[in-house]
Amino acid sequence: MKLIRVSIVFLGASCANVLGLEEAGVDPDTGMTEDPAGDPGGEGGGGASDLSTSTGSGGAGGEAPLCERYCSAVMAGCTGEFAVYGDEEACMAVCAAMPIGNPGDAGGNTVECRLTHAKAATSEPSFYCPMAGPSGNGVCGTSCDGLCTLAGSACVGDDAQWATEHDCRVACALLPDLGTYSVDPQFDMYEGGHVQCRIFHASAAAVSDADAHCKHVGGASPCVAESL
C-alpha cells in the first residue's frame, strides 16, 4: 500500500508541475497561491493570442482578445483554495478549446459564460469560481461538457480515449461529480474516480504531455472509477 501511495503522490506532483501548481505553491499561512516572484494568486493580463479562434482578435476600441480577458479575470478572481488554473498558460490552453459563445452569456459551455462568472468571482469566489473554471460546474456547461470538449481537443489520434463525443458523454454520465472544482493541492482533485479528476488531466493534456495525461482522462490510475 505504501508503494501505491508513493506512486500516486509522485504522479500528482508531476501533474501539478505541468499545470503550474508547483511553481505557484501555496502559502500555508494564507492559503493563497504565489508565483515565483512572490505575488499572491499569480498575474492576470495578456497571454499568447494565437492559440486558436477562441483567443480571437482585439475587439472594438482596442479590447484585448477574449481568452486574454478571460484568463486575466479568472486568475485575478480565483486564487488560493478557489483557483481553477495553476497558471495563465493552463488557462489559455483550456480557453482555446472551448466554444466562444456570446458576450454576457450567463449559462452554457462557452468562454463568454466563464468570463461572466470570473468577473463576478471577486465578490464571492466560492460560488463563482467553479463555474468560471474548465468544468463549468453545471452553469457554464455540465462537468461532462467540460470534460468531453477538452478531451476532444487535447486527446486526439493515438491519445484519443473515445471514438466519438457521444461515447465520452456516455462514459462520463457514469462518473461521480463532486459539484465543485479547484486545482488547489489540498483537494487532491488529480486523483479519484470522479469526473473532476478527468477534467484535471484533460486540462493538463491541453498544455503538454497529452500521451501521459490522456490515459488518466480515459480512466487510468489515478482517475479509476470504482463503480466501473
Side-chain angles (χ1 to χ4, degrees), residues 5-228:
R5 181 59 185 169
V6 168
S7 64
I8 290 177
V9 170
F10 178 80
L11 173 61
S14 175
C15 295
N17 188 49
V18 169
L19 288 174
L21 300 179
E22 184 173 297
E23 289 85 347
V26 177
D27 186 320
D29 296 321
T30 66
M32 297 289 286
T33 55
E34 294 184 351
D35 66 16
D39 295 328
E43 297 181 356
S49 60
D50 60 348
L51 290 176
S52 81
T53 54
S54 294
T55 60
S57 57
E63 188 176 52
L66 175 59
C67 282
E68 290 189 15
R69 288 183 281 122
Y70 164 60
C71 291
S72 177
V74 77
M75 295 303 292
C78 301
T79 61
E81 65 182 298
F82 307 117
V84 291
Y85 299 105
D87 59 24
E88 192 162 343
E89 180 184 15
C91 177
M92 291 291 286
V94 169
C95 181
M98 293 290 175
I100 296 172
N102 299 301
D105 279 351
N109 182 35
T110 68
V111 177
E112 289 283 5
C113 178
R114 289 169 170 83
L115 173 59
T116 296
H117 295 287
K119 289 178 177 178
T122 54
S123 64
E124 195 174 352
S126 62
F127 181 74
Y128 289 106
C129 287
M131 305 173 194
S135 76
N137 211 49
V139 175
C140 294
T142 65
S143 294
C144 288
D145 288 334
L147 171 62
C148 295
T149 297
L150 287 172
S153 174
C155 300
V156 297
D158 291 341
D159 297 320
Q161 300 301 303
W162 297 282
T164 66
E165 181 178 343
H166 174 74
D167 292 341
C168 174
R169 291 181 177 278
V170 169
C172 182
L174 300 175
L175 299 173
D177 190 330
L178 300 180
T180 189
Y181 186 78
S182 172
V183 298
D184 190 295
Q186 68 175 302
F187 299 117
D188 291 338
M189 288 195 182
Y190 66 85
E191 62 178 339
H194 42 73
V195 65
Q196 281 73 23
C197 183
R198 311 286 186 99
I199 293 171
F200 184 102
H201 290 282
S203 298
V207 179
S208 64
D209 295 332
D211 58 334
H213 292 291
C214 289
K215 297 173 184 176
H216 312 319
V217 172
S221 179
C223 296
V224 177
E226 297 179 1
S227 61
L228 297 181

